[in-house]
Structure formats: structure tokens, C-alpha cells
Amino acid sequence: NLISNIKVSNISFTGKEALRILSTSNIDIILLDMILPDMSGLQILEFIEENNLNKYLNSTIIISSNIHLYSHLINNPYICTSISKPINWNILKDILSHLIEEKNEAYNNNNLKCKINKELNYLNYNLAHVGTHYLCDCIYEIYISHNKNTFNLSKNIYPIIAKKNNTNVTNIKCNIFQASVNSYYECDENRMQNYFGKKFYSKPKTKDIIYTVLEHITI
């Protein structure tokens, strides 16, 4: 084994076999030889793209003895990187280790955002509302900063969300405010009271909402 926490799931000797496996399995990382007995690696990539198999985004390492011929694929969203034949196993090990770290981080990030959205959904936030997305991002940024108790939304958090979404701080504030107003009037009063406790005296302020959601997801 190259890496202790990785295992070979499938080995395909033909393109047809590879297409079947890619269609029916959940593969984390694809090592794709660009020359197969019955088709090219390009055809495999075309199949992945045409069938919108987004689970394989940034998951393919292409392998070829003429890797320079595939430089045009550098921006393909399904390709992580490339490696030349003959394979240098130390280089491959480093590539796999880095890719595993990226995927673990992405999984943890998605899992955290799912937890946040579950709390917001409980409070009757409309998850399709852009303000709810901004609020989720704010909570996420504060959580990963490990600085939950001392933050300034306008100075430290809103600018990050604004830059990420190519908008301005005022737009972030207004949309979060509107999403929170909608939630306040849509959510059952007893539910709000139980969720916010002593902080529930009127419509909770954004900072109170963030603090309380953080408390719930860290329990």
C-alpha cells in the first residue's frame, strides 16, 4: 500500500469496464491511463462530463507517457493533476496524500454547513433565500476561525462573505436581515422561545442568532 488509509476499489482493463464502474460506484480518486485497449482516456472524461458525474470533480489523475499532449486539459474541473509514465511512486504518493487531505477537508466543510442549515431550517429560514446562504456562511466563517466569542460582524465577517460572493457588505446585511425577519414571522413562537431562551425578547439580532446556532452545533 502506498498510503495506509487508501485502498484500491476497482481495476479496469478496458474503457467499457471503466465506464460501467464509474456509472455505478462512488470512487474517490480515479487514476486514468490515457490509452486503453478500446478507447482513449479523453473519451472517459467526455463520458464523465456529458453525464454530469459531479461526484468526480477534481478527482482524476491522468497518466500518460506523453503527458505534454494533454496540457489543454489543465482547466478541466474533473482533473486534479497529471503524472508521467513510468510512474514515480513517491510522486504519486505525495499527490494522493494531498488529494486525500483536500477531500477530507471538503467533506468536513460540507458536513459543517449541513449542520448549520439544519439549525436554520428548524427556525423556518428559507434555505433558498440568498440571505440564509449569507447567514450560513457567516456562522461557518466564525466557527472555523476558532474565535467564536470575540468577533465583529461588520469588520471581520461581512467583508469576507461579500468578497466571496462578489457583492458588498450592505447587501449582505440587508439580505440576512430580510431572511431573519421572514424566519421570525414564520416560526412558531414556542419554538423560538425554546431555541433562544432568555435572548428571545423580540426578533433576535443577527449576532444572537449566530451565537445561538453556534451553541447548538457545538453541543
Side-chain angles (χ1 to χ4, degrees):
N1 287 342
L2 284 173
I3 305 173
S4 59
N5 62 340
I6 192 171
K7 67 176 182 178
V8 176
S9 175
N10 290 279
I11 298 177
S12 302
F13 296 97
T14 66
K16 184 178 180 180
E17 185 180 358
L19 296 182
R20 178 185 61 78
I21 292 170
L22 293 173
S23 299
T24 58
S25 304
N26 287 316
I27 309 297
D28 293 313
I29 299 172
I30 303 167
L31 298 176
L32 178 62
D33 196 314
M34 298 307 286
I35 300 179
L36 299 168
D38 53 344
M39 64 179 68
S40 70
L42 289 175
Q43 289 173 290
I44 302 290
L45 288 170
E46 288 171 0
F47 173 85
I48 292 173
E49 291 183 273
E50 289 170 0
N51 288 275
N52 297 314
L53 299 180
N54 292 332
K55 59 187 175 181
Y56 298 127
L57 286 169
N58 193 41
S59 298
T60 304
I61 300 170
I62 61 175
I63 302 170
S64 175
S65 55
N66 296 298
I67 206 66
H68 63 280
L69 297 177
Y70 304 100
S71 59
H72 62 289
L73 297 175
I74 191 72
N75 295 318
N76 186 299
Y78 294 93
I79 293 175
C80 165
T81 189
S82 60
I83 189 168
S84 298
K85 290 182 179 179
I87 295 174
N88 182 313
W89 295 106
N90 288 326
I91 292 176
L92 179 59
K93 180 179 178 179
D94 289 342
I95 291 172
L96 289 173
S97 296
H98 181 70
L99 188 52
I100 289 169
E101 287 180 9
E102 284 188 351
K103 285 183 170 291
N104 285 338
E105 182 178 358
Y107 173 80
N108 291 333
N109 290 347
N110 289 334
N111 192 39
L112 175 57
K113 288 193 173 183
C114 284
K115 287 183 179 180
I116 295 170
N117 279 325
K118 183 179 179 181
E119 298 297 317
L120 296 177
N121 184 59
Y122 178 79
L123 296 172
N124 271 48
Y125 273 87
N126 180 356
L127 298 184
H129 193 291
V130 66
T132 305
H133 290 292
Y134 293 158
L135 180 59
C136 176
D137 283 347
C138 286
I139 297 168
Y140 170 81
E141 289 294 336
I142 294 166
Y143 184 94
I144 65 173
S145 73
H146 305 294
N147 194 22
K148 304 179 184 66
N149 297 319
T150 55
F151 64 89
N152 184 303
L153 287 173
S154 295
K155 290 183 179 179
N156 307 124
I157 304 301
Y158 289 155
I160 295 174
I161 309 305
K163 183 177 181 181
K164 177 181 174 182
N165 291 277
N166 194 29
T167 184
N168 56 65
V169 168
T170 300
N171 189 43
I172 299 295
K173 287 182 178 179
C174 290
N175 276 286
I176 289 177
F177 176 81
Q178 188 57 58
S180 297
V181 167
N182 294 344
S183 163
Y184 177 70
Y185 287 112
E186 290 292 330
C187 194
D188 178 75
E189 184 174 341
N190 289 330
R191 179 178 294 189
M192 294 285 281
Q193 180 70 60
N194 291 333
Y195 196 88
F196 290 100
K198 293 180 180 180
K199 293 191 283 288
F200 184 75
Y201 50 87
S202 61
K203 186 184 77 66
K205 296 179 180 179
T206 300
K207 199 164 187 175
D208 288 333
I209 295 167
I210 291 174
Y211 266 125
T212 310
V213 171
L214 284 169
E215 288 172 0
H216 278 78
I217 66 175
T218 54
I219 291 175

